[in-house]
Amino acid sequence: MAPAVDTLTEDHAAVYDRQLRVWGVEVQRRLMEAKVLVLGLGGLAAEVSKNLVLAGVGRVGLRDDTPAAAAAPGNFLVDPSAAAEGLTVAEACARTLQAMNPLMAVAVEPGPPHAAALLPAQHPHHTRHGHSHPGESEAEALRALLSRYDLVVAVGGGAAGGGLALEQVAALDGAARALGVGVFAGAARGPSSWVFVDLGGECEQGFGYTPKGETEQRWLRYASFRSALTGGLGGVHRRTHPLYLVLRACWQFEEEHGRPPAGAADAPAVRAAFDRLTAATPAAPPLPADLLEAFVIDGAAPSAAAAAGADVAAASAAAAGLEQDAAAAAAAAGSEQEEPQGELAPVCAVVGGVVANNVLRALSAANPPLRNFFFYSYLVRDGLGLEECFM
Amino acid sequence: MEAPKAPAEPSWPGVLRTKEFKEKIKSAKVLCVGAGGIGCELLKTLVCTGFRNIEVIDLDTIETSNLNRQFLFRKHHVGQSKANTAAAVVQGFCPGASITPYHANVKEGRFDVDFFRRFDLVLNGLDNLEARRHVNRLCLAAERPLVESGTAGYLGQVTVHIKGRTECFECSAKPAPKTYPICTLRNTPDKPIHTIVWAKDLLFNRLFGAPDAVSDLDDQAAREGGQPGKQEEGDKEGGEGKEGAAEAGEQSEEARAAAASAAAAAAQAEDPSFFLRRDGEPALEYAARVFGRVYTTDIQRLAEVKELWEKRPPPRALHLDQLLPPAERAALQAALDKAAEAGAGAGASACKLLGLSNASQKWTPGQNAAVLLLATALYHTVRPSEVGSAAFDKDDLLAVEFVTAASNLRSSCYGIPEQSLFDAKGMAGNIIHAIATTNAVVSGLIVTEALKILAGCLGSLRNTFLYEVPVDRRLVVPATAWEPRPSCMVCGKTQLTLRINTKTTPLSGLVGAVIKKRLAVNSPNLMCGGFLYEEGEGLEEDEEAAYAALLPRPLRDLPGGGLGHGAILTVQDQSQHWGVDVIIAHTEDLSPDDAPEGFILEGALPTASAPAPPEQDGGKQQQQEAPSAAAKRKAAAAVAEDAAGVLHITDSDDDDDEQEGKEEEGQQQQQQQQQGAGTSVAAGAAAATANDSRKRPLDEDGDGDGAAAGGGGGGGGGEERGAKRAKAETAPAPAEDKDGCIVIDDDEDD
């Protein structure tokens, strides 16, 4: 066994050897001191969590009190036995992740896989998981939880995976921003995935980092989610990833309807919002067929039939493994084209790797992380993974 | 890629929503080659996508340094089979899946064409070029689609290979591993890697290795020293580096001018017995004697070879007494005694005894000297049984300590920057940087292409590259899969020309260095007129003996008229269902610059009836490349231009079985290939090729895709050898054979 590398123990040096050769001792040391909260544990979040734990992030907190029996089908961290033991998704994932890397700490943070507590009390809808509106104390508890971490990752959780309502992303981002906590938010929906990154204030200098091999610190400014989705459209051009405008159209839908789009029936309204946006944009990117519709449908909650039997279907899915049996069971309720696909595993793997890699950059402040969106879709330019910046 | 011939491909990715396709995923049979970094991620992504019938092959066992990314493995799995463990763990979280593991080498005979035919998809997560080429050939023979992948650090790449439709893995040249001219290593090092290779391959073997362990390097030295008559055997690589730069070109003029004198001096100086410990010689005194020889007298002697130092400063000798005063050497003796009393065996560490606990901190010259002496003495004191048979192993701490100290001391003679133990270990062990995130992304990209293939959405297939940082905002970049290269040695139809000294090279040299190493042939079957040589399963003992007896004979003196100038050697590999014709061009004046391995292998044009001047052929043929293919390549090059840092993965060889690959810039490869074409059509090639009827080297199964450019011709996979050969011989000369360039790569597995 190799001798200790600086402050790293022999165990660290042995296990982390190959990545130390990629990013060096100093970055590893910073990662070991960092704390990341994962809010919601769907398939994409499972990928991100696995990657962060393997890298040796000091503390990874998991918050998702969904019963393990109702875990998102793509969450490979939930062992089939967890459902029978009555564990939550966070508990089941924590067990797997802690075994994956005993050199760091995995913590279960009690609470739901969303940030509805941060929404204004009078708001007409809360979450699509059907929780009643929490009191101010719950909001304070979530803020207190955030304040104990350096960065929060919210990329989908619960049974569907498909991501927080955009309004919740904005609320989470607002709270995290006020606390100086970094935010990675997003979702994988069928063939498409989006990621938003906010690492720091508009008034302050923003996110500081020191590129490898340099001594001078550099700064990156990030925008809030709200301003990134409501700012001027001047930056949009023909090569902009069309998912950015789809996301804005969904945001407008939420503002108008007080809820996220909930399936194929809402697609025309989102489409109308999209058309209004492109009309206001001198050079909007072309919209590939099905991109918007698939994004709306695949992000929706499982259909009524599936929802009614969610526990049963998911339990059997969990018992049988990870597959899309739950979705398949639900498919009986509607046409194939209108049934949510949920998260696709290969998309989660690609985007989960990209997200984790950039979370590690944000934590180690050695290289510039993505600023401030990442989009990936099978439907856009053959699966081009694109960084976009909208402030 | 051409528009699909079938009128209606399913729409991608809409097909993913259909029940029929979900059923198809469930019943598809998938072969995963490799259960390492990419393999673990791939197995997970496959079952999460709904695949249920998976078989996985990996010969490796789990090591601690795998655990940071091969997430199916735990510490208590260290030492166990990767394939078996991965299968059990995946089956644990997905009981509905059937995962069949093979703890075996994919090159074993049981994984033959019939085995590959059982699968709908073959997905590679391999760590070495040799195995990749083998799987490529089997996929071509079995006509099964292959998705190939590799990672290095933050870079990743996934490519799709479907016979007749996209290029095969070997259509593009892969970079040759870096080799270092022996006289650079011995006389004129100027980079850290030079002294590390010297310490690992020369000094370590001299002191602790088998007596013949350095003979390959001696052979290389002999060749480079202008003694072409000396025989060569097998691998001659200095061993290092996978980067593929043609470092041999760095050998300087003056170094070559001085080579003869230096080599002569070296031959006299390097009487191997000097480096052996004498009876009764105290271990530390022995170590000090070696030090004085290597770092004092040898360096002084070299510094006096004036020709070497006309353009660079001569090395400065070290003196042990200055680096390590007698009092400190006494302390070494005490440390050695302590280790001997403690009975430290394999875990003995000079660093621990000396309190050098920080692996990333460079040692002082005195510390280097202390480590060198103590490590040498420890070998003789606590691991004496290994002396005389040791081989460098990057996981052997004492060996790494020795190499670090030995190379640093040499570096200080030459003014080369010294290295920490951590860095020296990485360089000496060819350790590939590897992180989990890249493997995860690559697994997703592999499964994406696998789904397209399974759905029949062939028009949507893409080769995809993952960049380290966004280039022009793009981080994950798909590119249209390239068309097959008509001149591909493997999936196309071409002949090779081998320039070699047929008077002095024995058959063993041809078989080892050219056939097995360069051509990646597993079970060679060589035919030329009345000459036949075979290896592999199913030979009788007397046959084996007869063939073995041929090995020492020079090529031109082999039976059946010999393999002399102009002979056409048919090389076949039953296990790969592949073959190629090699035209022998006898050449005596091969320079070490051009032919560091003692031969030159290059593509040749299977000229029709009238031989054309070779130089012209090269240029012309190059231009004649099918316009569509040329355009595609150009487009591909354009794509890659703004993608600095994106590599075309070709090989990785972290020897501890990682499945990641090493990359090289895809576009560069294309360019290399084309540039290579211009230079490699060598004089002598055309002369040998004219009028030969056996223009069809390939005996792979050519049915089915035969119409496609580059599709192989010849016999069916399972036919008997003779029949296949006959068929190959009578096949018409391919009109579309276009170019004369094959840049063949080597690979280097530890």
Side-chain angles (χ1 to χ4, degrees):
Chain A
M1 186 165 294
V5 177
D6 280 351
T7 59
L8 277 60
T9 67
E10 288 189 10
D11 278 353
H12 293 128
V15 171
Y16 297 146
D17 184 278
R18 294 304 181 270
Q19 67 201 39
L20 288 171
R21 295 177 190 282
V22 175
W23 54 55
V25 173
E26 179 56 23
V27 164
Q28 186 66 45
R29 200 184 53 71
R30 289 185 207 169
L31 294 180
M32 288 162 58
E33 290 169 359
K35 300 189 269 300
V36 176
L37 175 66
V38 181
L39 180 65
L41 287 157
L44 177 55
E47 286 282 352
V48 176
S49 306
K50 170 207 67 183
N51 295 336
L52 297 180
V53 165
L54 289 170
V57 170
R59 177 185 176 95
V60 172
L62 307 176
R63 189 191 199 233
D64 189 338
D65 61 5
T66 310
N75 187 333
F76 55 90
L77 299 173
V78 176
D79 190 87
S81 65
E85 295 176 47
L87 300 184
T88 65
V89 168
E91 289 165 342
C93 291
R95 200 161 66 179
T96 305
L97 291 168
Q98 189 66 77
M100 207 177 278
N101 187 352
L103 300 175
M104 46 74 70
V106 181
V108 175
E109 302 289 2
H114 56 73
L118 296 171
L119 296 177
Q122 71 282 11
H123 203 276
H125 90 281
H126 313 302
T127 90
R128 58 168 204 259
H129 301 282
H131 295 258
S132 60
H133 191 275
E136 187 58 23
S137 62
E138 283 185 50
E140 276 313 308
L142 181 48
R143 286 195 193 92
L145 176 61
L146 287 173
S147 72
R148 302 208 312 268
Y149 286 88
D150 301 309
L151 189 146
V152 60
V153 175
V155 291
L164 296 177
L166 301 183
E167 170 190 48
Q168 282 191 38
V169 175
L172 177 66
D173 179 46
R177 216 176 158 74
L179 295 163
V181 173
V183 175
F184 278 68
R189 297 181 170 188
S192 302
S193 181
W194 66 276
V195 176
F196 166 77
V197 183
D198 178 7
L199 296 177
E202 283 156 294
C203 316
E204 312 145 36
Q205 281 178 293
F207 172 76
Y209 69 98
T210 309
K212 200 174 179 183
E214 299 183 21
T215 52
E216 197 172 322
Q217 198 169 27
R218 299 187 196 176
W219 300 89
L220 281 180
R221 286 184 57 233
Y222 283 81
S224 71
F225 187 64
R226 185 176 296 274
S227 81
L229 280 196
T230 56
L233 290 164
V236 174
H237 52 90
R238 297 281 300 167
R239 306 292 281 174
T240 296
H241 201 292
L243 270 180
Y244 172 67
L245 291 177
V246 171
L247 205 59
R248 283 185 73 136
C250 287
W251 171 271
Q252 295 200 349
F253 179 97
E254 282 192 33
E255 292 213 310
E256 290 161 21
H257 297 78
R259 61 170 177 84
D266 288 332
V270 177
R271 182 66 185 244
F274 182 89
D275 290 342
R276 287 197 301 276
L277 285 166
T278 54
T281 308
L287 179 67
D290 297 336
L291 179 71
L292 183 148
E293 288 74 16
F295 189 79
V296 169
I297 291 168
D298 291 333
S303 66
D311 285 350
V312 177
S316 72
L322 301 167
E323 52 199 295
Q324 293 143 334
D325 287 356
S335 85
E336 278 170 350
Q337 295 304 319
E338 296 190 356
E339 195 53 41
Q341 281 191 99
E343 302 171 294
L344 295 180
V347 174
C348 290
V350 171
V351 179
V354 171
V355 168
N357 198 23
N358 283 279
V359 168
L360 299 178
R361 285 188 180 175
L363 297 175
S364 59
N367 278 303
L370 287 168
R371 192 177 68 134
N372 55 349
F373 285 97
F374 178 74
F375 297 106
Y376 177 78
S377 175
Y378 288 166
L379 286 160
V380 179
R381 290 152 76 188
D382 307 323
L384 186 69
L386 212 56
E387 177 187 36
E388 297 277 13
C389 184
F390 291 101
M391 301 297 283
Chain B
M1 183 170 296
E2 288 174 19
K5 284 169 192 152
E9 284 185 357
S11 81
W12 171 261
V15 66
L16 295 174
R17 291 182 186 278
T18 66
K19 262 181 232 160
E20 294 74 15
F21 188 60
K22 284 174 185 164
E23 284 306 312
K24 200 168 183 179
I25 292 174
K26 222 175 244 181
S27 58
K29 289 186 167 38
V30 182
L31 176 63
C32 293
V33 190
I38 293 172
C40 283
E41 293 284 341
L42 181 56
L43 289 169
K44 170 264 299 169
T45 307
L46 283 170
V47 298
C48 289
T49 303
F51 285 93
R52 287 296 174 267
N53 297 291
I54 302 168
E55 302 190 17
V56 56
I57 303 174
D58 198 313
L59 81 161
D60 293 326
T61 53
I62 296 159
E63 298 189 28
T64 301
S65 64
N66 300 147
L67 301 179
N68 79 320
R69 64 200 182 286
Q70 301 178 18
F71 76 97
L72 299 174
F73 307 144
R74 306 284 176 263
K75 195 164 187 179
H76 66 266
H77 290 133
V78 168
Q80 297 179 22
S81 153
K82 286 189 178 181
N84 294 342
T85 306
V89 172
V90 171
Q91 204 124 34
F93 69 71
C94 184
S98 157
I99 320 275
T100 307
Y102 301 90
H103 181 205
N105 188 333
V106 69
K107 286 159 80 178
E108 283 178 23
R110 58 175 154 154
F111 306 121
D112 57 7
V113 172
D114 290 334
F115 177 86
F116 275 72
R117 284 209 178 99
R118 289 178 24 222
F119 298 95
D120 299 299
L121 295 162
V122 179
L123 312 179
N124 266 3
L126 277 165
D127 67 347
N128 71 86
L129 194 48
E130 205 179 313
R132 286 181 155 117
R133 292 169 73 175
H134 185 82
V135 172
N136 178 52
R137 292 171 194 189
L138 280 162
C139 285
L140 286 167
E143 301 193 329
R144 288 299 177 267
L146 169 65
V147 184
E148 173 63 78
S149 68
T151 68
Y154 292 102
L155 304 171
Q157 169 180 300
V158 172
T159 55
V160 187
H161 307 282
I162 298 180
K163 185 175 178 180
R165 182 163 187 112
T166 65
E167 66 173 9
C168 85
F169 178 70
E170 294 174 89
C171 279
S172 292
K174 307 300 181 284
K178 204 177 257 182
T179 65
Y180 303 95
I182 192 74
C183 80
T184 298
L185 298 180
R186 284 197 172 161
N187 303 333
T188 55
D190 58 12
K191 291 178 180 167
I193 187 66
H194 294 152
T195 63
I196 286 173
V197 173
W198 171 88
K200 180 181 88 156
D201 289 349
L202 287 167
L203 188 61
F204 182 90
N205 283 336
R206 278 261 188 269
L207 301 191
F208 312 117
D212 59 349
V214 285
S215 63
D216 288 349
L217 285 161
D218 286 339
D219 286 342
Q220 192 181 344
R223 274 198 314 281
E224 294 180 14
Q227 305 172 33
K230 199 149 179 204
Q231 292 188 354
E232 72 197 60
E233 297 262 351
D235 302 350
K236 310 161 206 80
E237 312 285 313
E240 269 355 279
K242 329 323 209 165
E243 273 88 60
E247 186 129 342
E250 288 180 16
Q251 192 175 14
S252 62
E253 286 295 320
E254 80 272 21
R256 223 179 325 149
S261 61
Q268 164 215 336
E270 300 214 356
D271 169 12
S273 66
F274 176 90
F275 293 95
L276 302 181
R277 188 177 164 198
R278 295 164 189 155
D279 284 344
E281 185 177 25
L284 274 173
E285 280 181 29
Y286 160 69
R289 181 167 62 85
V290 169
F291 183 104
R293 168 61 174 275
V294 169
Y295 298 105
T296 311
T297 55
D298 277 1
I299 294 291
Q300 286 168 339
R301 174 182 55 77
L302 263 176
E304 287 162 10
V305 183
K306 300 285 181 235
E307 305 95 306
L308 290 170
W309 317 115
E310 286 165 5
K311 292 182 187 169
R312 71 187 98 208
R316 290 179 303 104
L318 302 179
H319 298 278
L320 187 56
D321 288 344
Q322 292 168 12
L323 292 177
L324 215 55
E328 294 185 27
R329 281 165 68 181
L332 292 184
Q333 185 63 54
L336 184 64
D337 294 342
K338 190 175 135 199
E341 280 172 30
S349 160
C351 290
K352 278 184 187 155
L353 290 167
L354 294 168
L356 299 171
S357 62
N358 187 338
S360 57
Q361 187 169 343
K362 292 177 189 176
W363 300 329
T364 65
Q367 286 169 334
N368 278 305
V371 171
L372 181 86
L373 263 52
L374 190 51
T376 304
L378 278 169
Y379 252 105
H380 281 267
T381 307
V382 301
R383 297 165 64 174
S385 63
E386 295 173 48
V387 173
S389 62
F392 176 79
D393 172 358
K394 69 167 172 34
D395 292 317
D396 176 349
L397 180 55
L398 191 58
V400 172
E401 290 172 354
F402 173 86
V403 165
T404 303
S407 65
N408 279 340
L409 290 166
R410 187 167 173 84
S411 289
S412 72
C413 295
Y414 285 89
I416 297 168
E418 293 154 4
Q419 303 296 312
S420 71
L421 182 109
F422 178 82
D423 289 331
K425 175 181 172 181
M427 295 167 81
N430 296 321
I431 292 173
I432 294 292
H433 305 174
I435 51 177
T437 50
T438 307
N439 291 329
V441 172
V442 160
S443 81
L445 297 173
I446 293 172
V447 174
T448 298
E449 298 309 314
L451 289 169
K452 292 174 188 172
I453 293 170
L454 194 64
C457 301
L458 302 186
S460 299
L461 294 175
R462 296 292 180 269
N463 292 336
T464 312
F465 303 85
L466 171 68
Y467 297 171
E468 177 167 359
V469 294
V471 176
D472 190 22
R473 301 183 298 136
R474 304 180 305 171
L475 190 62
V476 179
V477 182
T480 305
W482 292 309
E483 290 176 10
R485 207 174 148 77
S487 58
C488 175
M489 171 185 87
V490 177
C491 77
K493 307 147 190 143
T494 195
Q495 288 176 313
L496 304 175
T497 293
L498 176 67
R499 291 205 277 153
I500 196 166
N501 189 331
T502 60
K503 280 186 197 166
T504 58
T505 307
L507 178 62
S508 57
L510 176 78
V511 170
V514 182
I515 305 296
K516 289 186 178 170
K517 190 166 173 62
R518 270 300 189 88
L519 295 178
V521 163
N522 196 22
S523 308
N525 171 17
L526 312 181
M527 289 171 287
C528 181
F531 164 71
L532 180 67
Y533 174 84
E534 295 176 281
E535 279 183 30
E537 296 169 9
L539 289 177
E540 302 293 332
E541 271 181 32
D542 58 333
E543 285 180 304
E544 272 182 22
Y547 288 136
L550 296 176
L551 286 171
R553 293 170 67 170
L555 296 179
R556 68 160 47 182
D557 298 331
L558 289 167
L563 291 177
H565 188 70
I568 296 184
L569 177 68
T570 298
V571 179
Q572 297 188 332
D573 187 327
Q574 285 291 98
S575 71
Q576 297 176 339
H577 287 249
W578 177 77
V580 68
D581 278 4
V582 177
I583 300 147
I584 308 290
H586 174 70
T587 314
E588 298 198 0
D589 54 350
L590 290 167
S591 78
D593 278 359
D594 298 335
E597 298 169 291
F599 64 87
I600 296 174
L601 189 66
E602 57 204 9
L605 300 174
T607 39
S609 48
E615 320 284 343
Q616 283 185 3
D617 271 7
K620 223 193 275 174
Q621 300 293 353
Q622 206 41 40
Q623 289 163 5
Q624 284 172 359
E625 188 177 11
S628 65
K632 279 287 190 289
R633 280 163 206 287
K634 205 170 160 189
V639 163
E641 262 165 35
D642 56 359
V646 171
L647 307 185
H648 190 88
I649 293 160
T650 58
D651 184 14
S652 105
D653 30 7
D654 190 349
D655 29 13
D656 66 339
D657 352 358
E658 283 151 31
Q659 305 300 327
E660 295 93 81
K662 177 162 209 173
E663 319 187 346
E664 196 231 19
E665 184 152 358
Q667 297 67 31
Q668 267 182 4
Q669 260 190 19
Q670 296 292 325
Q671 287 159 9
Q672 276 175 9
Q673 207 170 37
Q674 301 193 354
Q675 287 163 4
T679 57
S680 68
V681 178
T689 67
N691 290 326
D692 191 273
S693 63
R694 287 173 297 182
K695 298 286 188 317
R696 300 303 311 278
L698 304 182
D699 69 338
E700 68 194 297
D701 188 352
D703 304 339
D705 288 301
E719 290 176 44
E720 207 204 302
R721 185 175 306 163
K724 273 194 298 188
R725 182 158 180 245
K727 205 167 167 185
E729 285 178 1
T730 55
E736 63 271 54
D737 270 354
K738 294 283 195 226
D739 89 31
C741 169
I742 305 285
V743 179
I744 294 163
D745 67 279
D746 271 327
D747 88 276
E748 160 179 14
D749 267 302
D750 290 16

